[in-house]
Amino acid sequence: MKFGFFLGCQIPFLKPEVEASIRKVMSALGVELIDLEGYSCCPTWMSVPSLDLNAWLSISARNLAIAENLGVDVVTGCNNCFSVLNHARYLLKDEKRKFEVNRILSKFGKFYRGTSKVYHVIHVLSDFVDKKELKKKVVHPLKDLTVAIHPGCQLLWPTRIMDVKEENPFYPEKLKNLVEMLGAKAPYYSRLDYCCGAGTSVAYIDYEKSSYFVLTKLESMKEEIEPDLIVTPCSTCLIQIEEMQKKLKKDGKINFEIPVVYYTQLLAICMGIPANEVFREESAKIILEVIR
Amino acid sequence: MKYVVRVEKKKNLVKVISDLGGEGVSKCIQCGSCMSVCPVTLIGFDHPNKKLFKFVQMGEEEVLLSDPSPWACVACGRCIEVCTQDVNPFSVYFALRRFQVKGFRIHPLAREAVGSIYESGHAIFVENEVEREKFGLPKVSSAARSEKDLEEIREILKSSAISDLGILPR
């Protein structure tokens, strides 16, 4: 199994430990990730798509054309890239738009066909990798651990633009199943599908309003399921929940702190990959303490 | 007929917003499904979703140019899922951002992000090769490391309407 690996910006530059976990887990499962030479920002919602439709679609199409030339589908670990690229693919089904984009790409000899699909890491693990094979690799299953899952909005909606979708995105199952496969409990809590408040820019437009999301989410999970760990497959949510949680604690709005991890980081540990290869030093200590 | 007040439509904004990617706006019947699931509504912005769409239909240009709600959209896509009339409220929201941009109301964060993409190919770019090596990661194979690819990104930006805004670095 081969995929073009769309890194995006946030994961390689701010969270290289997450990239390391994705690469290691995929390689252990026999999934080959091919780097996309010369790719750029997807471009993220708060940049080009907010300013100009054509420029957005051209940059997204350029990125996808790189994968098309390699004859592979794309996989990304970033919910934002996943959403931007799939929205672009959806809009480019319109022949007029596609023609306009190709007129621009032809200036430097590129061409967008629309042949490469865009998946999320979670989709590859839940729908492409053999479940028995994956289960076999879990050598250190988790015991007596309760996990609060946070899939992140852009992985769930809108289903019409995705090639792998949840049956009911308001009650998502894929991440839950993947966490339970590791031996942990992942019970439902009322704000499971709540936004983390990072989105495209709320955190910058109105800090108070943005922190309200994290506060509500944290209070809901703490009261209802008392989790040991928060697991998310979204790098934006990961950063937002981590940082906001620290600020909320400092401001005295909460009196607890729950560690947050990216799904493949947790999977890597369960597969026997040393924690310091997929976590920064400090986080590695905290995580090992929690899961032991 | 004494109670019917005829409101004069100020300007045909439906076409303007449609051309910017918000084709569905004329289909909105104000049912409010989008607002029932929208995070922007939840945290209390003044004119979420359908309210702005009504202003588009009424041609209220001033409100549309000054309201900050479109910039608070988290791009979650819930509204597209639940819309009863297939308006694609999300696309209209982004068309409204582009409408404000045309009036030179560009959110500073967006301006910064586009500038960064022009300079490095990435909205977020940090030199972290040493850190990456520690995790055994290869060099990022993006446009940031290839002048030819970066030039292609710049060409796309320069040949688009963004070049008229005077925000691209020289």
Side-chain angles (χ1 to χ4, degrees), chain A residues 97 159 193 200-201 280, chain B residues 23 71 73 78 81 131-132:
Chain A
R97 283 198 178 116
T159 46
D193 72 333
T200 58
S201 59
R280 282 166 206 255
Chain B
E23 293 91 344
W71 295 97
C73 172
R78 286 175 175 86
E81 198 79 20
E131 204 184 12
R132 289 180 58 80

Side-chain angles (χ1 to χ4, degrees), chain A:
Chain A
M1 214 178 332
K2 258 198 249 177
F3 290 96
F5 190 21
F6 193 83
L7 281 175
C9 311
Q10 231 169 20
I11 291 182
F13 296 123
L14 301 180
K15 290 274 169 197
E17 64 270 37
V18 169
E19 183 187 331
S21 73
I22 297 172
R23 285 188 193 270
K24 281 183 193 210
V25 163
M26 289 297 182
S27 131
L29 291 166
V31 179
E32 192 184 340
L33 297 179
I34 303 168
D35 284 307
L36 299 173
E37 294 287 334
Y39 84 92
S40 71
C41 184
C42 50
T44 179
W45 289 122
M46 198 49 182
S47 67
V48 185
S50 299
L51 271 58
D52 187 64
L53 186 62
N54 240 332
W56 157 32
L57 296 179
S58 303
I59 294 181
S60 287
R62 186 188 166 278
N63 281 324
L64 293 166
I66 298 172
E68 287 176 6
N69 277 343
L70 297 168
V72 289
D73 287 332
V74 175
V75 64
T76 176
C78 172
N79 279 18
N80 193 81
C81 300
F82 173 73
S83 151
V84 169
L85 293 174
N86 269 320
H87 268 284
R89 266 172 59 72
Y90 186 75
L91 290 177
L92 285 170
K93 283 186 182 151
D94 181 294
E95 285 299 327
K96 239 171 81 190
R97 283 198 178 116
K98 194 161 142 189
F99 179 82
E100 184 53 33
V101 156
N102 275 326
R103 194 181 61 77
I104 295 166
L105 296 190
S106 68
K107 284 190 207 168
F108 33 83
K110 284 202 164 65
F111 188 77
Y112 171 79
R113 295 177 190 84
T115 49
S116 289
K117 291 176 176 158
V118 181
Y119 300 109
H120 192 282
V121 165
I122 290 300
H123 295 153
V124 172
L125 293 174
S126 70
D127 288 67
F128 291 87
V129 173
D130 185 52
K131 281 206 175 62
K132 277 186 202 146
E133 209 47 46
L134 184 54
K135 196 125 203 221
K136 248 194 261 166
K137 298 269 191 229
V138 178
V139 286
H140 301 304
L142 304 167
K143 281 188 195 107
D144 303 320
L145 198 80
T146 306
V147 166
I149 55 162
H150 172 74
C153 308
Q154 294 175 348
L155 182 65
L156 303 176
W157 297 280
T159 46
R160 69 171 67 168
I161 63 165
M162 303 174 191
D163 290 291
V164 177
K165 37 193 115 183
E166 296 279 352
E167 205 167 296
N168 178 354
F170 290 92
Y171 292 90
E173 294 281 337
K174 292 190 189 299
L175 181 61
K176 176 181 152 70
N177 293 341
L178 283 171
V179 167
E180 286 177 344
M181 188 206 61
L182 303 178
K185 275 182 283 192
Y188 181 79
Y189 60 100
S190 57
R191 265 66 164 194
L192 189 147
D193 72 333
Y194 241 49
C195 172
C196 72
T200 58
S201 59
V202 195
Y204 295 90
I205 290 181
D206 197 320
Y207 171 78
E208 279 298 314
K209 284 179 173 151
S210 170
S211 67
Y212 165 83
F213 279 113
V214 183
L215 182 62
T216 314
K217 193 158 190 106
L218 288 171
E219 280 175 342
S220 155
M221 59 174 77
K222 185 80 185 164
E223 227 163 85
E224 294 165 36
I225 63 172
E226 186 79 46
D228 304 296
L229 204 62
I230 301 170
V231 173
T232 179
C234 172
S235 50
T236 311
C237 301
L238 176 74
I239 294 170
Q240 163 88 349
I241 299 176
E242 247 176 10
E243 289 182 358
M244 279 288 186
Q245 188 171 218
K246 285 203 174 75
K247 280 183 196 155
L248 288 169
K249 197 175 173 196
K250 215 173 125 200
D251 295 348
K253 292 200 174 140
I254 48 171
N255 58 6
F256 55 86
E257 207 173 324
I258 310 165
V260 199
V261 302
Y262 190 91
Y263 177 73
T264 47
Q265 287 181 300
L266 187 63
L267 177 59
I269 290 190
C270 295
M271 284 174 136
I273 295 166
N276 62 5
E277 287 183 20
V278 291
F279 280 102
R280 282 166 206 255
E281 217 172 308
E282 235 170 86
S283 317
K285 262 187 235 153
I286 298 171
I287 298 305
L288 289 177
E289 232 164 73
V290 168
I291 62 175
R292 245 167 221 150

Side-chain angles (χ1 to χ4, degrees), chain B residues 46-63:
Chain B
D46 288 343
H47 302 298
N49 287 306
K50 70 163 195 173
K51 292 196 186 171
L52 279 184
F53 302 169
K54 191 72 193 171
F55 283 126
V56 175
Q57 291 168 350
M58 287 173 9
E60 292 285 348
E61 195 172 8
E62 293 78 15
V63 185

